[in-house]
């Protein structure tokens, strides 16, 4: 097995929304805001190469939305999904599986693109199986008013229409060494990949831990639909992660790809931050 970090750029979200009840005087030290209180966040994905399988975990925001949409989210940066795949030696057509942690637009927007003459949408990965789960799919396709703006039908429905959608269940493995856990605080049945790699467990934290700051228990996004469930999920997970020396892989941290954890008198905290290739060797 080999892992490749796939950077797809950065976008901006309101700092208060991303840090919830935490005062700005604290969170601005973790991710400083611009004059509009917007912070930059990574759109960092992970490519798992194993034999004839290439599993892409999430795929960023995509580029098919209109100018008005991007005026809200300020997509920026030099790296794209295609340039990062090319750097790893692959193209979209090489991807065999797209594993979607959940269907918010910043995690699955790259799943679907315009066709050549911009008359209809098509899968961006024409040879891939797209993985979700029935609970989350139902949640996303019949969205509540609070999350509706994050579940864009053009990102989601064409996946099923293409015939490339498959559902998995908690406890199953997509392939040996690639399992996942459910969380239900951020959104219903979000899936966090847990990858066995070189005698370590790497956890793709998606929106349970958007950045290193969110390792602290009260640091919970205002976007979460069940913040007290998130609190409980974080507490249980962090205890296990520290005991078993998990490596956390951050999808949204604008600076840090990964971290290890340590137990302190104040609770579980970040120990060291590092790049994946630095830790394991390229």
């Amino acid at each position: 097995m080999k892992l490749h970090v796939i950077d797809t750029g950065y976008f901006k979200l309101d700092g208060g929304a991303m840090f919830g009840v935490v005062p700005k005087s604290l969170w601005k030290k973790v991710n400083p805001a611009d004059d509009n209180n917007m912070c930059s966040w990574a759109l960092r994905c992970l490519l798992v190469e194993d034999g004839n399988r290439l599993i892409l975990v999430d795929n960023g925001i995509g580029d098919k939305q209109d100018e008005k949409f991007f005026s809200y989210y300020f997509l920026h940066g030099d790296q794209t999904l295609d340039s990062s795949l090319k750097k790893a030696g692959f193209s979209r057509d090489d991807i065999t599986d797209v594993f979607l942690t959940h269907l918010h637009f910043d995690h699955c927007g790259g799943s679907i693109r315009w066709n050549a003459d911009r008359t209809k949408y098509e899968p961006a990965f024409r040879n891939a199986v797209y993985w979700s789960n029935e609970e989350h799919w139902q949640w996303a396709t019949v969205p509540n008013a609070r999350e509706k703006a994050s579940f864009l039908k053009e990102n989601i429905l064409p996946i099923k229409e293409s015939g490339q959608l498959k559902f998995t269940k908690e406890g199953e493995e997509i392939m040996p060494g690639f399992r996942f856990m459910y969380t239900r605080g951020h959104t219903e049945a979000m899936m966090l990949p847990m990858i066995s790699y070189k005698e370590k467990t790497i956890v793709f934290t998606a929106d349970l831990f958007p950045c290193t700051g969110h390792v602290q228990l009260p640091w919970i996004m205002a976007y979460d639909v069940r913040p007290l469930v998130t609190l409980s999920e974080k507490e249980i997970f962090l205890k296990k992660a520290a005991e078993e020396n998990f490596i956390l892989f951050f999808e949204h941290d604008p600076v840090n790809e990964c971290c290890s954890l340590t137990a302190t008198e104040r609770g579980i905290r970040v120990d060291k931050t590092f790049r994946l290739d630095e830790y394991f060797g390229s």
Side-chain angles (χ1 to χ4, degrees), residues 29-53:
K29 301 173 185 177
V30 173
N31 192 344
D34 64 18
D35 292 341
N36 293 316
N37 212 49
M38 304 286 279
C39 303
S40 283
W41 300 94
L43 294 159
R44 182 181 298 112
C45 309
L46 188 64
L47 184 64
V48 183
E49 178 187 1
D50 193 22
N52 61 357
R53 300 282 294 277

Side-chain angles (χ1 to χ4, degrees), residues 201-243:
T201 297
I202 299 172
V203 181
F204 187 96
T205 61
D207 281 344
L208 182 62
F209 300 98
C211 77
T212 55
H214 292 91
V215 168
Q216 299 178 73
L217 288 177
W219 292 49
I220 295 171
M221 292 188 291
Y223 294 114
D224 286 21
V225 296
R226 305 182 187 104
L228 293 181
V229 172
T230 297
L231 184 69
S232 177
E233 289 173 338
K234 288 174 63 174
E235 188 170 20
I236 293 168
F237 173 85
L238 287 170
K239 183 176 186 295
K240 182 178 178 64
E243 289 174 351

